[in-house]
């Protein structure tokens, strides 16, 4: 089972980035897919979630209106479009998956670093 995140980089404040997550190794139809970010020395922050099967989306308040989570189940991909980035968004972003009903993410990809310069 693998989640492979990509798309991080350096961007100026106010700019945009799109993160991608390639999922492989199992059927994810019973999973919720998410993005979690972490600043070194701080706790992980759950940013957004989308079900593999279903249409709802969840966002942490700090990214509402700026970030959009989406998926392409035919290509086994999950995305995070990030707009109006600020220095507060600088973090390592992880793609993760958890079975429906579970509280904690149980499958993690490697992180991709997003750095927003002010």
């Amino acid at each position: 089972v693998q989640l492979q995140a990509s798309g991080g980089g350096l961007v100026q404040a106010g700019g945009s980035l799109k993160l991608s997550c390639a999922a492989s190794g199992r059927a994810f139809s019973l999973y919720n897919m998410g993005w979690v970010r972490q600043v070194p020395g701080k706790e992980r922050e759950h940013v957004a979630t989308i079900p593999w099967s279903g249409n709802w989306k969840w966002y942490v308040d700090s990214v509402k209106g700026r970030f959009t989570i989406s998926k392409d189940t035919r290509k086994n991909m999950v995305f995070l479009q990030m707009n109006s980035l600020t220095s507060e968004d600088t973090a390592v972003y992880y793609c993760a998956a958890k079975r429906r009903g579970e509280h904690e993410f149980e499958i993690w990809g490697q992180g991709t670093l997003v750095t927003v310069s002010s």
Side-chain angles (χ1 to χ4, degrees):
V1 177
Q2 277 193 318
L3 298 174
Q4 184 88 19
S6 61
L10 175 64
V11 63
Q12 287 189 330
S16 298
L17 275 177
K18 186 174 185 178
L19 305 183
S20 299
C21 175
S24 63
R26 71 165 62 198
F28 285 90
S29 59
L30 296 181
Y31 282 75
N32 293 335
M33 310 299 292
W35 290 94
V36 178
R37 65 186 179 186
Q38 187 169 28
V39 176
K42 295 188 177 181
E43 292 187 359
R44 286 177 174 173
E45 179 181 41
H46 180 192
V47 175
T49 296
I50 189 169
W52 195 264
S53 302
N55 295 317
W56 57 267
K57 300 178 182 180
W58 177 91
Y59 300 95
V60 68
D61 285 347
S62 59
V63 308
K64 285 179 180 176
R66 301 188 299 120
F67 289 13
T68 302
I69 190 170
S70 62
K71 62 188 177 182
D72 185 338
T73 55
R74 290 176 299 177
K75 296 182 178 179
N76 283 357
M77 297 289 295
V78 179
F79 307 98
L80 186 68
Q81 176 66 47
M82 305 184 295
N83 299 329
S84 302
L85 287 161
T86 75
S87 57
E88 300 282 308
D89 298 314
T90 294
V92 177
Y93 285 72
Y94 297 90
C95 178
K98 58 181 175 177
R99 283 170 289 180
R100 291 178 189 172
E102 293 294 326
H103 181 67
E104 299 292 334
F105 287 106
E106 58 191 275
I107 304 171
W108 293 83
Q110 93 292 354
T112 185
L113 176 62
V114 172
T115 303
V116 183
S117 63
S118 55

